[in-house]
Amino acid sequence: MDATTQKPLKLLLLGGTSESTRLAKAVAQMPGVAAVLSLAGRTRKAAPSPVPVRVGGFGGVDGLAHYLVQNGVDIVVDATHPFAAQISNHAIAACTKAKVPLLAIERPPWQRTDRDIWIEHATVEDAIAALPDAPSTVFSALGRSAIPLLCAKPQHRYVIRVVDPSAPPAELPEAVIISARGPFRTEDDIALFREYRIARVLAKNSGGDAAYSKIAAARALQLPVHIVKRPDIAKRHTVTTSDEALSWIAHHHASRTKRGV
């Protein structure tokens, strides 16, 4: 079988992050690789993709394993958010079941410096519960799904940054919703925090550069950050960058070509 008749390497890319966007652009230019980008659909308007996109869940471990087999998927790259533990754990189990190689891009978490004022929490609920009782203005970067949870401490004025525009719940009449998509700049977040007189920051330890500005801004202004630790994910083969993932894909493609598959 020559290069013109060889079947393409089928890649399922679990995405929704800047790493998956970069990787999709790169694999779209790779001859002999047919990629599908899978998105959870939590963001109403996803960024344009150069590869075909599927939106929605798979139906658990069995549903994902069935998808892999039915579509002849050769390899899977998990480039989901570090807090998307459910799909990541499902991918590990499904790929094991379907005997499909899996690689995860796991960006390093942010590291606390001696100038940071961090209060670490195991869950989003814990972080919100730990806010002081005295009313203050709190910046939330916990995402849209966390907005209802903020109602547990309704005495605060929340400035909430999310991708999709939405109205605050009735329980938080003073909340401000800022619709914006990263990457963000530190100087802009410093100005934002000063404008709204932010006293505390709620954040997840997502890692990466696109959303680090709020951490750097809080450090510059000496604001406490209630930061949520990452959830546990089962052991898997990982790299830290999309470039490393691209090399892994290229290796599988090259070894497949040598076998004449």
Side-chain angles (χ1 to χ4, degrees), residues 24 29 45 151 162 172 180 192 228 238 255:
Q29 304 300 317
K45 188 176 181 180
C151 297
V162 291
L172 303 175
L192 178 72
V228 182
T238 65
S255 62

Side-chain angles (χ1 to χ4, degrees), residues 123 148 154 254:
T123 67

Side-chain angles (χ1 to χ4, degrees), residues 112-188:
R112 179 178 186 168
T113 74
D114 56 9
R115 295 187 61 241
D116 287 308
I117 306 171
W118 283 10
I119 305 100
E120 293 187 301
H121 306 279
T123 67
V124 168
E125 291 86 349
D126 290 345
I128 295 169
L131 292 173
D133 292 331
S136 61
T137 304
V138 179
F139 178 80
S140 174
L142 297 176
R144 188 176 62 180
S145 63
I147 294 177
L149 302 177
L150 297 174
C151 297
K153 285 290 184 80
Q155 69 270 35
H156 298 294
R157 181 196 187 205
Y158 294 100
V159 177
I160 306 166
R161 184 159 67 195
V162 291
V163 174
D164 295 316
S166 61
E171 296 87 343
L172 303 175
E174 294 188 29
V176 176
I177 305 288
I178 298 175
S179 174
R181 187 189 297 270
F184 303 105
R185 301 191 309 166
T186 299
E187 54 266 39
D188 293 335

Side-chain angles (χ1 to χ4, degrees), residues 11-12 14 68 73-78 91 95 100-104 248:
L11 161 68
L12 176 64
L14 305 175
L68 298 177
V73 174
D74 296 300
I75 57 174
V76 176
V77 173
D78 179 359
C95 286
V100 174
L102 168 69
L103 178 75
W248 184 82

Side-chain angles (χ1 to χ4, degrees), residues 20-39:
S20 67
T21 299
R22 287 193 293 268
L23 195 56
K25 290 178 181 178
V27 297
Q29 304 300 317
M30 292 180 68
V33 176
V36 171
L37 174 62
S38 177
L39 301 175

